[in-house]
Amino acid sequence: MLAFGTIKTTVLSFKVLKLPSSKIEGSRQLKCKASKMELTITQPDDWHLHLRDGELLQAVAPHSASFFGRAIVMPNLKPPITSTAAAVAYRESILKALPADSDFSPLMTLYLTDTTSPREIKLARESGVVFAVKLYPAGATTNSQDGVTDLFGKCLPVLEEMAEQNMPLLVHGEVTDPNVDVFDREKVFIDTILQPLIQRLPQLKVVMEHITTMEAVRFVESCSYGSVAATVTPQHLLLNRNAIFQGGLQPHNYCLPVLKREIHRQAIVSAVTSGNKKFFLGTDSAPHEKRRKECPCGCAGIYNAPVAISLYTKVFEEAGALDKLEAFTSFNGPDFYGLPRNTSKIKLTRTPWKVPESFSFSFGDIVPMSAGETLEWQPSSI
């Protein structure tokens, strides 16, 4: 067993796959790679996932359940999941939407509001099904209109109870002040909200979700291990803001937080592929019907669940860091949450496959990230 899983190669031709052998640790170093390679890793988890509800939930849940063992499920439904009772009911709906043979486990969250009570946090912890509380600044993203308007003025007792209960706070890290440029909202959030929060409640566990800037990387790196971490999406590792406009407006590359400059993308890639344990997988897969993306006021969100593992593997391979992939996808997240690592495995095979242009359902189509593109890595269950 290698330090990061198991790599096998199948000799199909004399073509050599270039991968730095110095990056591979363990008892069996591979010095020559053939045109087909297999990588076995511990089953990943998704620490930031939107499953929606109703027909959309029925459509997308099987995609995430195919290769992820667990997922932190976002609570921004209509109405939002603001109570433990609602989280329990939503969890049952998710379980009913899964294939009969699925072992996928949804980890529920509460939607923080100005009126959330400390007692609700106690109930959430006692439930055994709620694992975090999500902070949406009011108006920051999809279905965030019921979010927090004054974190320190209205939510401090709740945050103190969360610290007491060891309940993580998951933050959508953007300010909503219309006077702040959309590309600067993450940085301003760190300076005006997150840094003061960590100083005031250093014992509170915080996950800065879907980070998009070098400032976020530096902030997370500066914090103590075990207190602050970050999830990272495939889109923010692979795309910069040019992807929204190339060849015309590209609505399926529009998400919040919005894609940033190339220098920010590079900073995130460097952090993730460095092996730093504070960063872990969180797809922020956010499905919308095609007609709601391709319209005069299109929805924010990228549906990446069917391709996420393939895309993360691409990032690590291009960085010469396949030895660090398994920790990012499968270890760092559960370690931060204090949960056991998965014991099952999945296999990644370096064999080209084409992403569907869309997925069709009775209610309409959903366009995935990388639609129509050919990806090099394909996951499969073992």
Side-chain angles (χ1 to χ4, degrees), residues 47 82 153 156 175 197 221 243 246 267 293 321 349 368:
W47 299 97
T82 58
L156 194 57
V175 297
L197 175 63
E221 289 176 339
Q246 286 175 337
K293 293 286 290 180
T349 305

Side-chain angles (χ1 to χ4, degrees), residues 20-59:
S21 60
S22 61
K23 290 288 185 181
I24 298 178
E25 302 171 357
S27 58
R28 290 179 295 146
Q29 282 201 349
L30 301 176
K31 299 180 180 180
C32 181
K33 311 296 181 293
S35 59
K36 183 178 180 181
M37 182 167 68
E38 291 179 356
L39 170 63
T40 300
I41 63 171
T42 301
Q43 186 175 32
D45 299 305
D46 187 348
W47 299 97
H48 184 142
L49 176 65
H50 296 271
L51 286 175
R52 312 303 192 201
D53 56 2
E55 289 182 317
L56 206 48
L57 167 62
Q58 300 285 333

Side-chain angles (χ1 to χ4, degrees), residues 44-91:
D45 299 305
D46 187 348
W47 299 97
H48 184 142
L49 176 65
H50 296 271
L51 286 175
R52 312 303 192 201
D53 56 2
E55 289 182 317
L56 206 48
L57 167 62
Q58 300 285 333
V60 303
H63 283 156
S64 290
S66 294
F67 304 113
F68 291 108
R70 297 166 290 196
I72 286 282
V73 181
M74 294 296 105
N76 58 330
L77 304 183
K78 288 185 177 180
I81 305 299
T82 58
S83 70
T84 302
V88 171
Y90 183 29
R91 181 176 182 271

Side-chain angles (χ1 to χ4, degrees), residues 117-136:
S117 69
R119 181 176 178 274
E120 194 63 57
I121 301 304
K122 291 180 181 178
L123 290 174
R125 175 54 75 197
E126 292 169 0
S127 73
V129 302
V130 177
F131 290 84
V133 176
K134 180 63 181 277
L135 166 62
Y136 290 105

Side-chain angles (χ1 to χ4, degrees), residues 7 12 52 121 142 145-146 174 200-201 223 257 305 309 325 333:
I7 286 183
L12 299 178
R52 312 303 192 201
I121 301 304
T142 304
Q145 61 272 14
D146 298 308
E174 291 187 294
R200 188 158 187 172
L201 286 174
C223 295
I309 295 176
L325 174 67

Side-chain angles (χ1 to χ4, degrees), residues 147-212:
V148 171
T149 62
D150 184 357
L151 184 66
F152 294 106
K154 298 182 178 181
C155 298
L156 194 57
V158 171
L159 298 173
E160 291 171 342
E161 185 62 36
M162 289 174 59
E164 181 70 22
Q165 297 292 336
N166 199 32
M167 179 74 75
L169 177 70
L170 316 181
V171 301
H172 181 109
E174 291 187 294
V175 297
T176 56
D177 183 346
N179 294 314
V180 177
D181 189 281
V182 67
F183 293 104
D184 297 329
R185 291 180 179 179
E186 186 170 274
K187 179 183 183 303
V188 174
F189 182 90
I190 294 170
D191 294 340
T192 62
I193 304 294
L194 198 49
Q195 185 71 60
L197 175 63
I198 299 304
Q199 291 173 349
R200 188 158 187 172
L201 286 174
Q203 69 274 36
L204 179 66
K205 293 174 73 78
V206 175
V207 179
M208 191 172 186
E209 307 233 77
H210 44 49
I211 61 169
T212 67

Side-chain angles (χ1 to χ4, degrees), residues 171-174 182-190 208-218 220 230-233 235-237 239-241 255-269 272 279 284:
V171 301
H172 181 109
E174 291 187 294
V182 67
F183 293 104
D184 297 329
R185 291 180 179 179
E186 186 170 274
K187 179 183 183 303
V188 174
F189 182 90
I190 294 170
M208 191 172 186
E209 307 233 77
H210 44 49
I211 61 169
T212 67
T213 61
M214 66 173 63
E215 289 84 6
V217 168
R218 291 169 183 164
V220 173
T231 58
V232 185
T233 75
Q235 54 266 30
H236 292 109
L237 286 169
L239 304 177
N240 62 38
R241 64 188 188 179
C255 60
L256 289 172
V258 71
L259 301 172
K260 302 298 194 299
R261 290 180 180 271
E262 176 64 10
I263 55 172
H264 296 294
R265 187 195 71 82
Q266 291 177 3
I268 298 169
V269 170
V272 163
F279 302 93
D284 192 21

